[in-house]
Amino acid sequence: MVLYINACVRKESRTNRIAECLLEKLGGEYEEVKLLERGLEPLSEEMLIKRTQLIEKGLFSNPMFDLARQFQQAEQIVIAAPFWDLSFPSILKIYMENIYVTGLVSEYGADGTPHGLCRAEKLYYVTTAGGAYVSDFSYDYIRSLACDYFGIRKTELIKAEMLDVVGYDAETIVEQLVSLLQREF
Ligand SMILES: Cc1cc2nc3c(=O)[nH]c(=O)nc-3n(C[C@H](O)[C@H](O)[C@H](O)COP(=O)(O)O)c2cc1C
């Protein structure tokens, strides 16, 4: 199963357009999680207590962990997130908080080293930026989580940048990337 984690906000999102092209190339069948439509909430103390109790009892089939189980079981993962404030929309961070369930997506070895439990062979991170794209607080962060904690060894960044800069033709830049994906995948 290909899992599409859609953190795009605008209806005419260029990031989503590029991600949809990639998803077609990956076979066209996927489960989509539109993050803004899921009523996701930042973890409160009450939620933390509940989930700690569930983890301690090994009750991973609880509905609280639906998204985490879906993430753990995905064979390929595509995240689409526009470049916002050097990072990504906050709903993606909230999603990560919710799916990072120790015992489901990751566990710690006896020596304290994290060991990934996710099935996915590859995670794609699709983004677009108004200016020049800097990966430190977006793709690099997601890649660290994927590789070091979730056990997803392969990641790839797919990006279009300079879309809001005067003198750059956003439509041409996006179209060039879409054509490249159609040719090379
Ligand atoms: C709230 C917000 C924050 C943004 N922050 C940045 C930024 O830090 N750097 C940048 O280059 N562009 C920034 N942009 C521009 C977006 O990255 C750019 O328009 C992107 O293509 C939007 O993607 P979308 O078409 O998928 O919505 C920001 C846009 C918004 C709405």
Side-chain angles (χ1 to χ4, degrees), residues 41-125:
E41 285 178 33
L43 288 178
S44 60
E45 184 178 21
E46 194 186 355
M47 289 159 77
L48 271 181
I49 290 169
K50 181 178 173 193
R51 92 171 186 169
T52 304
Q53 286 171 345
L54 291 170
I55 290 170
E56 280 170 3
K57 292 178 187 157
L59 296 174
F60 294 112
S61 57
N62 188 280
M64 190 181 198
F65 299 141
D66 283 354
L67 287 174
R69 279 200 314 282
Q70 181 190 44
F71 188 91
Q72 186 271 327
Q73 286 162 14
E75 282 145 10
Q76 300 198 77
I77 295 171
V78 175
I79 296 178
F83 188 46
W84 275 18
D85 306 328
L86 291 180
S87 182
F88 42 66
S90 53
I91 194 72
L92 180 56
K93 179 68 176 72
I94 292 173
Y95 173 81
M96 286 297 162
E97 280 178 15
N98 276 269
I99 63 103
Y100 194 150
V101 178
T102 302
L104 251 187
V105 299
S106 181
E107 65 185 0
Y108 288 99
D111 61 352
T113 321
H115 170 71
L117 299 174
C118 290
R119 187 187 288 179
E121 62 177 34
K122 185 159 182 179
L123 180 149
Y124 297 88
Y125 187 87

Side-chain angles (χ1 to χ4, degrees), residues 8-10 12-16 81-87 128-133 160 163-164:
C8 300
V9 176
R10 301 187 314 118
E12 299 300 321
S13 167
R14 301 167 291 201
T15 317
N16 178 55
F83 188 46
W84 275 18
D85 306 328
L86 291 180
S87 182
T128 66
Y133 178 64
L163 300 191
D164 300 335

Side-chain angles (χ1 to χ4, degrees), residues 121 147 173:
E121 62 177 34
C147 296
I173 297 169

